[in-house]
Amino acid sequence: MVRRHKRENSDTLLTRMTLTTPRYVGIDLGTTNSAAAVFDGEQVTAVRNAQGASLTPSVVRIDGRGNITVGARARRYLERDAKNTRGEFKRLMGTSQDLAFASADITRKPEELSAEVLKSLRKDIEDQFGFAPQRAVISVPALFELPQNAATSEAARLAGFEQVELLQEPIASALAAGWSAEESAGSWLVYDLGGGTFDASLLETRDGLLRVIGHDGDNFLGGRDFDWAIVDWLLAQIKQQTEVELSRSKPEHTAAITRLKQLAEEAKIELSRNESTEIAIIELPVPGGDPLDLEVSLDREMLETLCLALVDRTLDVCTRLCKTHGLDPGGLHHVVLVGGPSVMPIVRRRVQQVLQVAPTEGLDPMTLVARGAAIYAATAGLDARPESRPEPVPESQRVWLQHPAMSSDLTPHVVGKLVDSEPDKAPGEIRVLRSDGLWESPWTEVDEEGAFVLSVTLIPRRPNIFRIEGRRGPEQKVAIEPPTFTIVQGLTISDPPLSRTVGVALANNRVRVYFERGAPLPVRRTFNLRTVETVPAGSEECILKIPIVQGEFDDAHLCRLVGSLELRGEKLKQHLPAGAEVEVTIELDRGGRMSARALVPSLDQVFEQVAHLLVPEATPEVLAANLEATQQRVIELRAEAFQAKIISAIGRLNSIESRLASLETDVAAAAGGDTDAAQKARRAFLELDAEIEQIELDKRWPELEEEARETVIWASATIADFGLPHEAKLLTDTAKAIEQAKNNRDALELQRQLRLLARLGSTASLRHPHAWHHRFERAASKADQATDLVAAQALVKEGKVAINKDDVPALRRITQKLWQLLPDDPEDRKLGHNSGVR
Amino acid sequence: MQQQQTDPLADNPFFVLGLAPDCSRQEIEREGQKLLGLLELGLSRAATYQTPLGPRERTPELVRGAMAELRDPKRRVVHELWADVAQATSVAHERAEQAQASPGEAPAWTDVWQLFDWRAP
Amino acid sequence: MTSTGLLLCGLAVLAWYRSRSDARARPRGLKHVDLKVARAHLHDPPPRWVWQTGARGPLLALAILSAHVDVVAALSRPPVWAMLAALLLVAVYLPQLADLGWALARKAIARGYTRLAYRLAKLSATTWREDREGGAVLAAAWASYAKPTFDPDDTTWVEDKLHKLPSLAGAGVVAQGLLAANRGDRDQARTLMHSAASLRNDDTPAYAMTVAWDWLIADAAADGRWHEVIRIAAQPLDLSPTAKLLAAIAARLDGQPSPPDINLKALWLAAGKHRQTLPWRDRALSCKRVLYRQKKAAQPATQTPAEVSGSDLQKALGLHAQLRREGPVWLRLRPKKLAELVAAWERVFAGKSLLKQLQRRIIRLEAPLDGAEVIARYRRQICEDIANFAQAAEVSLVDAIGPHADDSFAAQAVYVLRSRLLVHVEQLSDTLHNRVRSGREKLPIDEWREWTQLRESCEHATRLGGMDARRVLFPQVHKACCAHAVWLWNERKQYAMAMPMFRWLLQEAEAVGDEAAIELQRKNAEVKH
């Protein structure tokens, strides 16, 4: 937010070529469509492309000769020439997935394709505004993972941008809406229904400060689901009319399905304006049959019936978000709708019904994000104009200025420092004058460090240009470089918050939290960790991993691995003993790009290479296996929940099951070669896993209580019969502690006390004359699970002989041997991403 | 134990920004911006801030973090409670503590290592 | 003349051999030296040992001197006498002659010749008799530590040798400690040297422990922690003459009961490096000698919160800030301060004014907040901070604050600390247990380190959480540690390392009175390999 005239730039002080005031550029790099906007301090203008549209489809085509086409012209080929045309590659950002273009026989990374879209937008700006932007703000989804952010930055670099900042989409929307609103104080809800995701963000403006209060969303719900609902309906219609059965999970039907989906999308858009539409299906390719021709009519009522459940799911998210932040229904002041699918009349109607506030009118939901990004560029001081060398002003004094580029404050501070000043030529006093001539600051003394602090007064809602003057004596004026600076009065936006907690996974499967969710970006933090294992120098197979994870869970294995610092034996100068200190620093810039470094002070060596900063790949086989396992887990849990009559768990399991159903289609689509659906499914599984884990934890409580009850009864009986006085005393203490833990619902403490009680009881039970007899029986009953069956059976035989002889020492020896052959009690072995630090 | 949040006393946002607990939102933004500017220019007047634990180094991360904390009223109220150390209290304790300085400690033998043929750290 | 000389000689040789056999006999009786527990009791009864050892040294010196005189005198006497005297002289020098290898290695160490020290130490006949390989690595580690600057190649060479040791015992651990110190990681070195104490048994040469104690004493003296020097030396250990001198100086400087001037001078003579130690000897001599421990003069009454103006909250915060400022060492000596702080917070949270103050602010901030919830959050933060204080200062919170009601702030603070301690140990034992079950091997020294860490955290939890914590933790720790030790013994053949683990488990089982575990560990600790 502070505009920085960098020290290294200070000796080539810059003037702007043709434009007197700064221009700020914002870009919405969308999944289906992209847009750009330019802000001049007063007005935000959406950029139009060569076709005159403000939206450029995010589609890239590379033909056999290597010619690249982007946008609407490429989109036409999406269906006709799918092998050479690619769309929706945003979802693959940050993965290692290469996209092939068959005719040209080349592959491109998702970020390279995004770069083509950015280049095209950059060209449009140049055509319309006369300059090629060097700096810009690009919006990213709020829940983008770190590798995806990194890929977006890379795309911008490839497109020729010198500097970009990333901004979360909901903040961009709110910023745009807040800028255009007359009266902007209060709570905002940004309802962002995109192609594949739904995001709801709660914001608040007060005293000109825009602040994000919270996010929520559904990563598995978007406009495409509406399209799929129509496609499914179409498939049913086709089957009914022609008896041809097409399926989304069959790779050979892909061409037909893609075609239907496009028709569905068009029909959906059409129905936003009209009451009904005719869908003309012409020459639909059917494998092993003649192409189909038929016409289906779809009206708005039918469409709304198909989509109502989906719309209501988005509204559930909104009400949940409001409730979490203590906002009653009706407590909202504004609702802003963003994204193509949000123009559907049913969305507007349901929003108004449920949230009890009319969506803000007069905003273009398609370019809102780009507009917001452009305004944000102003608050970040990212002037997009190219730089040029200044006219050398003789005898001028250079100053290094610090001030907010945009501020809600009417009287912000301006801080400055003289650069390379000579004692006899430096100004002793500085003042600033506003360009309208209606305000000037008093002369302010420059201190011994050559610094000065001034308070300036701004005119609301416009760019304010100030001139700086310096003087040595009352008469001797000194020219100042730069002679002017600009501050826009508008909104102050809080620093972008981090969307997910970031930390380092430790060897004990815990997480050392570096930054909590909501921490203002940029951030940097260093913690001293210690290695748990020796890494010999020169050893190739020994690698010490420092896994970096993202997520809000205490257990590392539940969080997502987003990168890993690796201390490789072959790169070490000397042995790195266990227990050695490692200073691990993680840094995130404003756009959420991560860098990490590990310094080993004892070796004086730095490791900076973050390995596999990639979204893991999702193969269809793994996904299918995952699906099956998850379904099985849900079925088991549900049965248990029914038995135990845990209503809340049943409710949550139902919701998981409904999501699993939609996941099934994604997994099927992944098997059909849809890599995008595969990524979507992968993320869905991670979230579902975490949720199921939580349910299991909750479910364990009644079980634990039951176990506690039984253990107390058993231990009391055993200790009463065979216990010693001090054991009886301990039993009373432990029983009391168990009761207390039960009251506090402290599962950990309860388990601890139970372990203690079990030991007490088993110690006492050993005094039972037939103690070893019982133990042997119990062990023998599990002999079929032994690791060595033959040995176990032999031991069982021996044991029976010992019982007959009443040889207790022998029986005991045999039982202990038998125990060693039996599998350990089933405890989960959870690995903290193989972390080598504690 | 794993969750190492910022120190509520030493890194208290009010101390970092040098503001009183009852300051206005505008003051937080204004003062924060000013300090960020001063720090960027490397000026000595912003280099440290006062806390009941003595002066601490001020960094841009701390200032930005402090602004974010105070923008959120939910977090701000807790910081207000931590920042309520009256000046008088800490000074009184300073005196009390000087009066009861620890009993005469003998000096350290820093080069004792040589006696055993070990290198001093 | 000759007869007194002979008598003295005989006495001296007898005393010397006794001290040798003592050193060897002791480890058998010693099950476990818990130094950290001892550290918590800084005001132990006056150490008497300084007197005893102080007397033995000069006696020995006198005897050796008179033996030399006797030989010269006996030359003019009948040959029987001369032969007798010569025999005595041989008896005095025999151990030195027999261990010529080590004597030379010691010279190489002082000059920093790592590889030479390693080879010479291997020749040592007596000093490293029990663990020649380990002793040689220790010598090499020591030599690389003696170099004027850190030499990475040298250290890597030593580490390679260390990793190749067939079985890890005390000497290896001490060598690793020296390497850590060499690298400048004194914390690690301290932990390893302390942990070596539990490895004292037949496999560990006594001299390895002498080096460990030397280092620990030097480490404490270098920081001016004279209390600690005295405390370490107060235990019946094989200390080097230099360490004994340091302990005597420490006792003088710290105003503890100490040997008379003549003993101090004798210790100084015996210690060597006279020029470097002279200023400190003289400084110690200039301090008044104390015969008995004197009660410390009553400390000036601490400022009670009542004397400070301001609200309850401000008083509590003031005290809180003071404890933070002073740091853990200060607090360790004044555990009552912690009780005072808890009482101050108790007043804050019991009163109504905090909630009123908060509600005023909530209205001003126009925030939809619940005052009680905010206070709960604040209370939790304060509890965490108090737990930090107690942990850093190693002060038992329960003992410091005494009896308290179940729903008091004090109870919450105790609970927070307790669960934090327990969770930490549980995590460590879980990690260890999982690793053992998956059979993932670490280098022997890393195995030892992991166990040491778990044991230290257990002892820490016991010190701070008392018997309750010890008892609650035992089942889980026993399960993990026993599996680990059995695995080390059976699969990895690390007998020297597994034995102290069994002994420690036995000691813990006895402490918590777990009969089944006592029986099991008693058997484990008796197994011979």
Side-chain angles (χ1 to χ4, degrees):
Chain A
M1 233 175 294
V2 171
R3 177 146 138 215
R4 293 178 181 91
H5 299 270
K6 289 268 164 152
R7 190 189 287 275
E8 57 265 29
N9 288 345
S10 61
D11 38 33
T12 55
L13 271 175
L14 318 161
T15 59
R16 308 297 173 180
M17 277 193 312
T18 47
L19 306 155
T20 49
T21 51
R23 293 287 185 275
Y24 305 103
V25 170
I27 294 173
D28 171 11
L29 187 60
T31 310
T32 39
N33 290 303
S34 297
V38 174
F39 177 54
D40 62 4
E42 275 180 273
Q43 291 293 321
V44 197
T45 319
V47 177
R48 302 210 164 264
N49 59 23
Q51 289 82 37
S54 57
L55 287 184
T56 302
S58 307
V59 180
V60 177
R61 170 178 159 78
I62 305 179
D63 65 18
R65 279 169 299 173
N67 292 329
I68 300 173
T69 355
V70 178
R73 283 194 302 154
R75 193 179 193 279
R76 272 178 242 137
Y77 292 92
L78 195 55
E79 174 212 343
R80 257 187 283 159
D81 186 17
K83 288 196 169 125
N84 294 308
T85 316
R86 293 290 182 167
E88 302 210 340
F89 37 77
K90 179 177 170 185
R91 287 174 182 281
L92 300 176
M93 295 283 269
T95 66
S96 59
Q97 192 102 46
D98 282 341
L99 298 164
F101 290 85
S103 302
D105 192 22
I106 49 171
T107 58
R108 286 281 177 269
K109 289 197 172 74
E111 51 264 42
E112 290 173 318
L113 298 181
S114 292
E116 292 304 329
V117 177
L118 288 174
K119 271 185 206 163
S120 149
L121 293 171
R122 199 163 169 241
K123 181 77 179 39
D124 295 337
I125 296 170
E126 194 176 358
D127 291 347
Q128 191 175 341
F129 293 88
F131 68 97
Q134 300 298 310
R135 282 158 289 275
V137 168
I138 300 177
S139 64
V140 289
L143 295 176
F144 240 27
E145 290 170 24
L146 295 178
Q148 295 165 304
N149 285 342
T152 308
S153 299
E154 176 62 13
R157 195 189 62 77
L158 292 172
F161 284 98
E162 269 175 22
Q163 191 189 353
V164 288
E165 286 204 6
L166 306 183
L167 174 68
Q168 293 159 1
E169 282 162 8
I171 304 181
S173 320
L175 202 51
W179 180 259
S180 49
E182 288 296 310
E183 187 268 314
S184 63
S187 312
W188 297 73
L189 184 100
V190 179
Y191 176 103
D192 183 352
L193 188 56
T197 58
F198 171 69
D199 278 306
S201 310
L202 196 60
L203 300 104
E204 178 203 65
T205 8
R206 201 180 282 184
D207 303 337
L209 175 75
L210 182 70
R211 190 170 70 85
V212 181
I213 299 176
H215 289 301
D216 204 338
D218 191 332
N219 272 355
F220 319 112
L221 180 62
R224 292 190 328 149
D225 293 296
F226 293 38
D227 299 342
W228 286 122
I230 301 171
V231 170
D232 287 339
W233 178 79
L234 277 175
L235 290 176
Q237 295 293 316
I238 291 171
K239 196 184 168 199
Q240 203 182 351
Q241 291 185 23
T242 65
E243 304 219 325
V244 171
E245 194 167 352
L246 293 165
S247 160
R248 281 168 65 188
S249 60
K250 289 190 182 145
E252 63 269 25
H253 295 174
T254 310
I257 299 289
T258 316
R259 180 73 184 285
L260 286 177
K261 179 153 177 282
Q262 206 173 356
L263 289 171
E265 207 179 324
E266 282 163 12
K268 183 184 74 181
I269 294 168
E270 180 76 23
L271 285 174
S272 293
R273 290 188 295 266
N274 302 326
E275 282 300 322
S276 76
T277 182
E278 290 295 314
I279 304 175
I281 305 171
I282 302 159
E283 289 194 9
L284 187 73
V286 177
D290 296 329
L292 285 180
D293 282 315
L294 77 160
E295 207 162 282
V296 187
S297 118
L298 176 66
D299 60 13
R300 196 186 273 179
E301 207 183 323
M302 189 64 212
L303 176 75
E304 294 188 349
T305 317
L306 291 173
C307 298
L308 185 66
L310 293 168
V311 175
D312 282 358
R313 243 169 85 189
T314 63
L315 288 163
D316 288 345
V317 173
C318 296
T319 37
R320 187 171 70 200
L321 176 66
C322 291
K323 221 167 120 190
T324 317
H325 294 281
L327 221 67
D328 303 326
L332 285 169
H333 294 86
H334 315 268
V335 173
V336 181
L337 299 183
V338 190
S342 72
V343 296
M344 285 167 69
I346 181 170
V347 173
R348 301 186 78 84
R349 208 170 60 234
R350 286 296 293 158
V351 163
Q352 194 159 1
Q353 276 168 6
V354 176
L355 301 176
Q356 298 167 31
V357 51
T360 306
E361 298 288 339
L363 298 171
D364 176 8
M366 307 305 286
T367 59
L368 199 64
V369 171
R371 288 165 190 270
I375 298 169
Y376 180 78
T379 72
L382 276 184
D383 188 350
R385 294 171 301 168
E387 291 164 355
S388 67
R389 295 212 163 258
E391 292 280 316
V393 180
E395 295 289 300
S396 67
Q397 169 64 52
R398 276 173 292 161
V399 295
W400 184 11
L401 283 181
Q402 292 287 312
H403 58 82
M406 179 146 123
S407 170
S408 61
D409 192 356
L410 287 169
T411 54
H413 287 295
V414 173
V415 185
K417 189 182 173 185
L418 308 183
V419 182
D420 302 335
S421 58
E422 292 166 40
D424 50 330
K425 288 183 188 161
E429 287 176 311
I430 295 276
R431 73 165 174 179
V432 295
L433 303 96
R434 202 166 64 201
S435 60
D436 62 0
L438 294 175
W439 178 88
E440 60 181 55
S441 76
W443 284 102
T444 307
E445 248 181 79
V446 176
D447 70 9
E448 63 277 11
E449 280 185 287
F452 54 90
V453 179
L454 289 161
S455 175
V456 296
T457 300
L458 304 181
I459 311 169
R461 289 274 157 166
R462 49 168 296 188
N464 292 258
I465 302 169
F466 293 94
R467 202 172 73 243
I468 321 174
E469 285 183 354
R471 67 175 184 190
R472 215 173 358 263
E475 295 306 314
Q476 203 178 354
K477 288 257 161 97
V478 181
I480 300 290
E481 228 359 283
T484 61
F485 63 92
T486 310
I487 302 179
V488 179
Q489 202 284 332
L491 283 167
T492 297
I493 174 159
S494 56
D495 285 324
L498 181 63
S499 57
R500 289 261 156 94
T501 302
V502 172
V504 165
L506 304 179
N508 59 6
N509 196 28
R510 305 295 282 186
V511 180
R512 164 61 53 84
V513 173
Y514 270 63
F515 319 112
E516 298 240 15
R517 172 158 68 178
L521 299 176
V523 279
R524 184 178 60 203
R525 212 157 181 202
T526 304
F527 278 122
N528 282 348
L529 306 175
R530 283 193 180 261
T531 59
V532 294
E533 223 167 317
T534 300
V535 187
S539 144
E540 277 179 28
E541 64 269 32
C542 270
I543 302 169
L544 188 114
K545 284 192 180 160
I546 305 176
I548 301 166
V549 294
Q550 220 179 348
E552 276 70 48
F553 302 97
D554 289 341
D555 287 347
H557 75 280
L558 289 177
C559 299
R560 299 171 197 201
L561 182 70
V562 291
S564 168
L565 276 168
E566 289 184 351
L567 277 58
R568 290 174 171 275
E570 72 228 35
K571 295 213 177 118
L572 286 175
K573 287 193 260 180
Q574 313 155 35
H575 293 318
L576 182 65
E581 216 170 85
V582 185
E583 287 176 14
V584 180
T585 306
I586 301 182
E587 204 172 341
L588 291 165
D589 75 359
R590 290 172 72 87
R593 270 171 301 185
M594 181 181 75
S595 55
R597 47 180 259 145
L599 167 73
V600 186
S602 63
L603 309 185
D604 198 20
Q605 235 180 317
V606 177
F607 296 82
E608 283 183 300
Q609 221 171 354
V610 177
H612 65 88
L613 191 69
L614 281 176
V615 179
E617 273 186 55
T619 59
E621 297 77 35
V622 173
L623 289 174
N626 250 344
L627 182 69
E628 202 178 321
T630 316
Q631 279 167 337
Q632 197 54 41
R633 240 170 122 189
V634 171
I635 291 169
E636 281 165 20
L637 274 174
R638 181 200 282 282
E640 285 167 23
F642 266 117
Q643 263 176 1
K645 298 193 183 63
I646 313 167
I647 308 298
S648 64
I650 296 172
R652 277 154 75 192
L653 284 167
N654 280 345
S655 109
I656 289 180
E657 215 157 43
S658 73
R659 273 154 66 188
L660 267 178
S662 76
L663 250 176
E664 223 166 313
T665 38
D666 277 325
V667 173
D674 187 345
T675 44
D676 163 30
Q679 276 303 328
K680 188 177 148 186
R682 180 191 68 82
R683 267 174 229 160
F685 278 126
L686 276 172
E687 299 207 351
L688 285 182
D689 271 354
E691 216 165 298
I692 291 174
E693 192 113 358
Q694 193 55 47
I695 294 176
E696 284 185 339
L697 274 180
D698 290 353
K699 184 194 67 113
R700 282 229 303 273
W701 180 252
E703 272 175 29
L704 212 56
E705 272 188 321
E706 180 57 24
E707 190 189 332
R709 206 178 57 81
E710 280 172 9
T711 316
V712 171
I713 293 171
W714 166 75
S716 310
T718 324
I719 290 172
D721 290 346
F722 309 104
L724 303 173
H726 81 270
E727 283 170 343
K729 163 87 177 61
L730 268 177
L731 172 74
T732 329
D733 288 354
T734 314
K736 196 180 149 201
I738 285 178
E739 214 40 53
Q740 210 164 14
K742 270 189 349 198
N743 292 341
N744 294 343
R745 252 189 114 83
D746 186 342
L748 212 59
E749 175 67 15
L750 189 55
Q751 277 169 320
R752 257 180 221 136
Q753 299 293 349
L754 282 182
R755 272 199 297 268
L756 183 60
L757 196 59
R759 274 206 83 85
L760 266 179
S762 78
T763 305
S765 73
L766 271 180
R767 297 192 197 99
H768 189 288
H770 295 303
W772 284 102
H773 192 142
H774 295 319
R775 287 176 173 215
F776 170 76
E777 293 291 341
R778 228 184 355 238
S781 71
K782 289 189 215 155
D784 55 331
Q785 300 166 23
T787 43
D788 182 346
L789 269 179
V790 182
Q793 277 158 2
L795 282 172
V796 171
K797 231 178 245 170
E798 267 182 64
K800 282 182 181 152
V801 174
I803 290 174
N804 288 338
K805 285 191 198 157
D806 211 14
D807 183 354
V808 176
L811 188 62
R812 176 178 180 169
R813 189 174 38 78
I814 292 161
T815 313
Q816 280 170 344
K817 271 192 193 161
L818 200 51
W819 278 344
Q820 285 174 4
L821 294 177
L822 294 180
D824 230 326
D825 25 330
E827 277 174 64
D828 281 343
R829 197 168 82 89
K830 289 163 188 164
L831 290 173
H833 298 294
N834 282 325
S835 174
V837 286
R838 63 175 158 88
Chain B
M1 187 139 181
Q2 311 292 337
Q3 296 252 342
Q4 298 213 347
Q5 281 148 358
T6 44
D7 189 328
L9 201 56
D11 299 333
N12 190 291
F14 291 103
F15 300 150
V16 172
L17 298 178
L19 291 168
D22 57 355
C23 66
S24 71
R25 283 185 178 80
Q26 286 288 10
E27 276 176 280
I28 294 167
E29 296 303 321
R30 197 175 297 159
E31 201 57 29
Q33 290 293 358
K34 185 175 104 184
L35 287 171
L36 284 174
L38 290 170
L39 285 169
E40 181 71 27
L41 298 179
L43 298 174
S44 61
R45 67 171 99 169
T48 56
Y49 62 93
Q50 290 302 321
T51 76
L53 310 178
R56 311 272 290 204
E57 193 196 343
R58 190 187 266 136
T59 62
E61 281 88 25
L62 271 176
V63 174
R64 265 197 304 273
M67 289 165 75
E69 287 291 298
L70 297 189
R71 279 173 193 142
D72 184 352
K74 219 170 170 178
R75 292 169 187 249
R76 174 177 168 156
V77 281
V78 180
H79 291 305
E80 285 183 7
L81 294 179
W82 277 103
D84 198 11
V85 193
Q87 209 55 42
T89 321
S90 55
V91 171
H93 272 286
E94 207 84 55
R95 284 200 208 104
E97 137 221 336
Q98 274 161 11
Q100 55 167 104
S102 48
E105 296 271 304
W109 188 343
T110 45
D111 53 356
V112 68
W113 308 97
Q114 296 171 1
L115 303 185
F116 301 92
D117 295 324
W118 293 322
R119 180 167 12 92
Chain C
M1 173 71 201
T2 310
S3 50
T4 31
L6 278 177
L7 186 71
L8 275 171
C9 252
L11 266 174
V13 171
L14 209 74
W16 186 76
Y17 274 109
R18 233 190 65 197
S19 71
R20 291 283 298 183
S21 58
D22 268 4
R24 222 159 278 143
R26 223 172 284 130
R28 285 198 197 100
L30 185 95
K31 287 213 171 89
H32 162 66
V33 180
D34 185 355
L35 287 177
K36 287 258 178 116
V37 172
R39 193 186 289 166
H41 305 285
L42 289 173
H43 311 291
D44 281 345
R48 290 261 308 142
W49 62 272
V50 182
W51 277 91
Q52 292 157 359
T53 39
R56 204 164 60 199
L59 188 70
L60 195 67
L62 197 67
I64 292 170
L65 191 73
S66 74
H68 286 84
V69 174
D70 280 355
V71 172
V72 176
L75 287 177
S76 57
R77 297 282 179 99
V80 186
W81 283 104
M83 274 173 68
L84 209 58
L87 261 176
L88 272 169
L89 204 61
V90 168
V92 167
Y93 278 107
L94 190 68
Q96 264 73 20
L97 275 174
D99 216 7
L100 191 66
W102 175 242
L104 291 173
R106 195 59 193 78
K107 300 278 176 222
I109 287 171
R111 281 162 189 76
Y113 300 145
T114 311
R115 287 161 173 82
L116 186 61
Y118 177 78
R119 297 218 165 87
L120 287 172
K122 271 196 170 177
L123 300 175
S124 142
T126 53
T127 308
W128 303 113
R129 190 165 40 88
E130 301 90 337
D131 181 7
R132 214 153 278 164
E133 274 294 324
V137 175
L138 191 150
W142 189 349
S144 72
Y145 189 15
K147 291 197 169 187
T149 53
F150 179 71
D151 182 343
D153 295 340
D154 227 34
T155 320
T156 307
W157 184 83
V158 181
E159 269 172 341
D160 274 335
K161 292 278 173 212
L162 183 73
H163 295 166
K164 282 181 192 141
L165 281 183
S167 148
L168 187 74
V173 172
V174 175
Q176 184 73 43
L178 290 176
L179 284 172
N182 185 13
R183 220 177 267 111
D185 191 346
R186 275 167 73 190
D187 288 340
Q188 274 282 324
R190 212 170 289 138
T191 309
L192 285 164
M193 299 291 190
H194 275 301
S195 79
S198 60
L199 275 166
R200 278 176 49 145
N201 58 19
D202 296 344
D203 296 330
T204 299
Y207 194 72
M209 287 318 302
T210 305
V211 176
W213 299 127
D214 279 357
W215 190 87
L216 286 168
I217 283 179
D219 171 60
D223 292 347
R225 286 180 277 123
W226 298 109
H227 270 313
E228 182 134 339
V229 174
I230 299 165
R231 199 191 44 69
I232 295 172
Q235 298 176 67
L237 307 166
D238 317 309
L239 295 180
S240 68
T242 314
K244 285 175 189 166
L245 171 69
L246 276 171
I249 290 175
R252 277 289 177 106
L253 291 177
D254 205 47
Q256 302 279 339
S258 56
D261 292 359
I262 176 88
N263 285 42
L264 195 64
K265 284 178 186 162
L267 280 172
W268 171 74
L269 264 178
K273 306 235 174 182
H274 299 118
R275 213 173 327 137
Q276 279 135 312
T277 47
L278 186 64
W280 284 88
R281 184 203 74 170
D282 291 345
R283 181 182 288 200
L285 287 174
S286 68
C287 294
K288 210 175 140 243
R289 183 181 168 222
V290 177
L291 279 177
Y292 299 101
R293 252 178 79 83
Q294 286 169 349
K295 282 222 164 129
K296 277 212 176 115
Q299 282 182 10
T302 52
Q303 186 124 2
T304 54
E307 291 172 46
V308 184
S309 60
S311 65
D312 278 347
L313 175 62
Q314 285 170 339
K315 285 176 206 159
L317 269 173
L319 198 56
H320 201 99
Q322 189 197 4
L323 259 62
R324 283 286 305 273
R325 264 197 312 269
E326 298 295 351
V329 179
W330 181 87
L331 186 58
R332 192 176 305 165
L333 300 172
R334 301 162 181 81
K336 281 274 160 277
K337 273 278 173 192
L338 205 53
E340 226 173 87
L341 179 68
V342 172
W345 283 117
E346 196 83 72
R347 267 193 298 279
V348 171
F349 292 115
K352 288 263 185 295
S353 61
L354 183 65
L355 187 61
K356 270 190 202 149
Q357 177 184 347
L358 200 60
Q359 273 160 348
R360 268 199 302 275
R361 288 301 302 159
I362 287 173
I363 292 168
R364 278 298 292 272
L365 290 172
E366 300 171 44
L369 293 176
D370 175 5
E373 192 193 304
V374 174
I375 290 181
R377 215 154 12 114
Y378 186 48
R379 205 173 142 133
R380 174 88 198 173
Q381 283 184 347
I382 303 275
C383 275
E384 294 283 347
D385 241 21
I386 289 176
N388 287 343
F389 290 151
Q391 261 192 304
E394 301 233 322
V395 172
S396 162
L397 205 51
V398 192
D399 294 349
I401 52 189
H404 49 267
D406 277 354
D407 56 347
S408 61
F409 171 75
Q412 192 185 353
V414 167
Y415 193 80
V416 165
L417 176 64
R418 178 179 176 276
S419 53
R420 190 193 278 190
L421 293 167
L422 298 184
V423 164
H424 183 56
V425 177
E426 282 162 357
Q427 278 171 11
L428 288 176
S429 56
D430 266 356
T431 312
L432 180 66
H433 194 53
N434 282 336
R435 191 170 62 78
V436 170
R437 288 207 310 172
S438 64
R440 212 164 60 78
E441 294 186 6
K442 282 187 175 182
L443 285 173
I445 185 73
D446 292 352
E447 298 281 1
W448 178 252
R449 241 190 268 256
E450 190 169 350
W451 178 72
T452 305
Q453 200 202 348
L454 176 57
R455 184 185 125 177
E456 276 195 352
S457 63
C458 264
E459 286 166 1
H460 178 74
T462 304
R463 268 196 305 286
L464 269 66
M467 255 336 264
D468 165 47
R470 197 178 197 175
R471 208 173 283 129
V472 170
L473 279 174
F474 182 75
Q476 202 176 2
V477 170
H478 180 258
K479 188 173 158 194
C481 276
C482 187
H484 185 218
V486 166
W487 179 63
L488 286 174
W489 183 284
N490 288 344
E491 315 272 321
R492 317 254 330 248
K493 313 291 176 214
Q494 292 288 347
Y495 307 118
M497 209 194 308
M499 196 43 84
M501 299 181 182
F502 291 133
R503 282 204 299 261
W504 180 73
L505 284 173
L506 173 61
Q507 177 199 312
E508 288 296 302
E510 281 169 347
V512 301
D514 185 329
E515 282 188 30
I518 293 173
E519 199 183 333
L520 176 67
Q521 297 312 336
R522 201 166 273 157
K523 269 199 286 170
N524 281 341
E526 280 163 8
V527 176
K528 291 268 181 287
H529 61 270

